[in-house]
Amino acid sequence: MRGPSEMSTKTPHLHTLKDLRCTALNRIFALIFTSAIFALFYHHFLHLLHSSTTTTFFLHLTLLFSDVILTFMWATTQSFRMRPVRRHVYPENLPQVMDHPDYPKLDVFICTADPYKEPPMGVVNTALSVMAYEYPSDKISVYVSDDGGSELTLFAFMEAAKFATHWLPFCKRNRIEDRCPEAYFSSNHSRSSGIDELKMIYESMKMKVESAVERGCIVNGHIKTDDEREAFKKWTAGGFTRQDHPTVIQVLLESAKHKDITGQEMPNLIYLSRQKSKTSPHHFKAGALNVLLRVSATMTNAPLILTLDCDMYSNDPKTPLDMLCFLLDPKMSKYAYVQFPQRFHGTNKNDIYGGENKRLFQINPIGMDGLAGTNYVGTGTFFRRRAFFGGPSSFLSAENLELNPNHVVDKSIRSDTILKLAHNVAKCDYESDTKWGSKMGFRYGSLVEDYYTGYQLHCEGWDSVFYHPNRAAFLGDIPINLNDVLSQNKRWSVGLLEVAFSKYSPITFGTKSRGILMGLAYSHYAFWPIWSIPISIYAFIPQLALLNGVTPFPKVSDSWFYLYVFLFLGSYIQDSLDFVLSGGTIQRWLNDQRMWLIRGISSYLFGSIDFFLKSFGISSFGFNITSKVVDDEQNKRYEQGIFEFGVASPLFVPLTSTAILNLTAFFVGLTRVILGHGNMEEIFVQLFICGFGMVNCWPVYEAIALRTDKGRMPMKTTMVSTFVALALYSVASLIFQI
């Protein structure tokens, strides 16, 4: 653990660290809750010892297995509550630490892969927002990796480079805070000199780009210069496909040569599409980032790197100054990166899909920050380039001098020498028989390469920082339909299990490398998908038991009943307090909890099945891009807080089956009580679980029976789900009769 303060005594205070007041209460409650868990296990063992039939024995064994997993996941959660901290920075002290010319260079990596799922104008807005940072322009280089190899994306950035010469001086002259053009022009901005003309230039650029995307090609009238024609020849020459094409590197702006309309230097802007071959591994986003890492080393080799998702634009132009408050501190030389939280715009009032992911992106990180630092979440992260070449006390030499993080680039980024070297390190076979992806760069071996990279860096001895400013440093888009949300979580589940069951499993390797608390923190994420086991068990087993007249839970008059009440209320109340105290609302917390249950019965379940099938060589999985394109009707329903079920997705089947089974079991159990065939005291817990499930499944009931819009539940899904529920009941009836 780190001490209470991390600031140099020889330099002005750049940052401070403060423990949260809830720490002591968290530790005390953890001890009390642990005692209650041991009591629960004792209760389970009593039932197992006194089970009268094989069926009831296995019923209680199943519930015990479920509670063991819940206990494990609860234990991993406690690592985040042992020492949560908050940080504060003092960027006003930076001038006392360095002069203006001494600002370190910054390379920005932005990845995109499909112009139809990730519209080029969105990527352009992200790039323009960081090009306009309140930072020396000649120190910034923006690299755009286009893994789709699309001429549409290149065209969009050619237009963006022209617009940037107007946009950057406008932002700095007027001290604009919203430096993402789309966000600025759509806001209630103050009137500034030249704004109408600037907006016309932006709208003209936007119209050109969007019309090109709609047509699927670039018209000759939009290509003005010989350099532009030369750039597009690779696409017109033939044989150029998304999965098989040569490297494309296009320098769109060079700081030393290009000026804005006021005569000031522009940031470097480079378009890159790495070489692709059908027979070579792509390694998805991590592969693209490693190519960016090498290409940028040959061209600018900045000591600091910012990685951004293509839809995560800068919301605060002074963010790099906040970052420098940490990475310029000589006491923090072993810190690999500064992580800013993912925050989102466009969420509806109550965030019905839990897209904010407050626990993942805001609550848990402050707990990890009090240990050895938070995990890398793939965007909004400032790295030391040095961190990708071995631990803080060791250094892995790159294949050639030009990739060494200490190498100084002294040639023009347009020179033949630099471009030749850049093309060479972007080849698809460059990494063969090297340590790239295993010991150097961003790490391969998991679909969640961001989590795995941060984890490996921590295991190598690096620490990290989580800084959560009041004004969001970055804002991004979230999926606004349920199928996209669940599909995204399914992919995460597969990737996390790849780490959990590897030789680098956090529960063993992570604990050995960084201690028990960091090991548990990373284990919480790695084993995240196993939430599907207890959630699925409690979604089906008590209900099936109730339908067959079996009661595995204590009566209301039994003293053990109050143990269940304490465990349920204790965990939920603590979680709600964490959520609300971090700036959330009760309604958002309720929706977040609903989505946790929904993900458990769908995404986590399907992700776990996919992973284990692949482990036995039965199936394979790939990387699916979440669409950033928004349908107007769908967006309207989202704003009204209405769930979107408009596609016949397999992910909806277990969810709908759960809704049907809980509804049936609740009314069958209640009817028995009313007719005198059942005892409310005996089945109260089961009725409560059914009712709890029904409340959380209310959007499903609406989608099945009460809605007529395009987002209703497809009849096919309802019929298949009904059949699954009937099949489960039939099998359970046979088992309970044994």
Side-chain angles (χ1 to χ4, degrees), residues 463-504:
D463 288 349
S464 62
V465 170
F466 178 73
Y467 181 56
H468 189 179
N470 293 328
R471 180 181 173 88
F474 304 96
L475 287 174
D477 295 324
I478 57 170
I480 64 167
N481 75 73
L482 187 58
N483 188 56
D484 279 353
V485 172
L486 299 182
S487 296
Q488 183 183 62
N489 276 268
K490 177 188 169 186
R491 176 172 60 84
W492 290 350
S493 297
V494 174
L496 290 168
L497 289 174
E498 287 176 314
V499 181
F501 291 97
S502 71
K503 65 178 180 179
Y504 296 111

Side-chain angles (χ1 to χ4, degrees), residues 105-158:
K105 290 184 177 180
L106 173 65
D107 286 345
V108 182
F109 297 169
I110 301 172
C111 294
T112 185
D114 188 329
Y116 295 102
K117 289 187 176 181
E118 298 170 337
M121 276 308 300
V123 192
V124 161
N125 272 277
T126 295
L128 288 169
S129 71
V130 292
M131 290 171 69
Y133 266 148
E134 201 64 41
Y135 202 79
S137 294
D138 61 318
K139 301 286 186 177
I140 299 176
S141 299
V142 177
Y143 293 83
V144 180
S145 171
D146 176 18
D147 240 24
S150 172
E151 60 181 330
L152 302 173
T153 304
L154 175 57
F155 174 70
F157 274 90
M158 285 181 172

Side-chain angles (χ1 to χ4, degrees), residues 412-421:
S412 166
I413 60 176
R414 288 174 176 262
S415 68
D416 292 340
T417 303
I418 293 297
L419 289 175
K420 182 179 179 181
L421 184 58

Side-chain angles (χ1 to χ4, degrees), residues 383-434:
F383 284 94
R384 295 185 195 274
R385 183 181 291 269
R386 164 69 180 81
F388 294 109
F389 296 88
S393 58
S394 61
F395 178 72
L396 295 172
S397 178
E399 289 75 16
N400 53 53
L401 175 64
E402 290 80 2
L403 298 187
N404 189 303
N406 298 319
H407 172 68
V408 177
V409 180
D410 55 2
K411 294 183 177 68
S412 166
I413 60 176
R414 288 174 176 262
S415 68
D416 292 340
T417 303
I418 293 297
L419 289 175
K420 182 179 179 181
L421 184 58
H423 278 80
N424 180 58
V425 299
K427 288 181 178 178
C428 56
D429 60 352
Y430 182 85
E431 296 178 356
S432 299
D433 301 319
T434 70

Side-chain angles (χ1 to χ4, degrees), residues 246-294:
T247 299
V248 181
I249 299 176
Q250 191 71 24
V251 178
L252 303 173
L253 290 174
E254 183 179 5
S255 181
K257 294 184 178 180
H258 290 91
K259 312 293 182 183
D260 64 30
I261 59 172
T262 65
Q264 298 298 310
E265 290 184 332
M266 295 290 290
N268 295 316
L269 178 61
I270 300 99
Y271 169 91
L272 164 68
S273 184
R274 57 178 170 149
Q275 184 186 22
K276 287 280 191 74
S277 170
K278 293 178 181 178
T279 59
S280 299
H282 296 162
H283 299 298
F284 307 115
K285 184 179 175 181
L289 285 169
N290 277 336
V291 172
L292 283 171
L293 192 61
R294 295 194 297 271

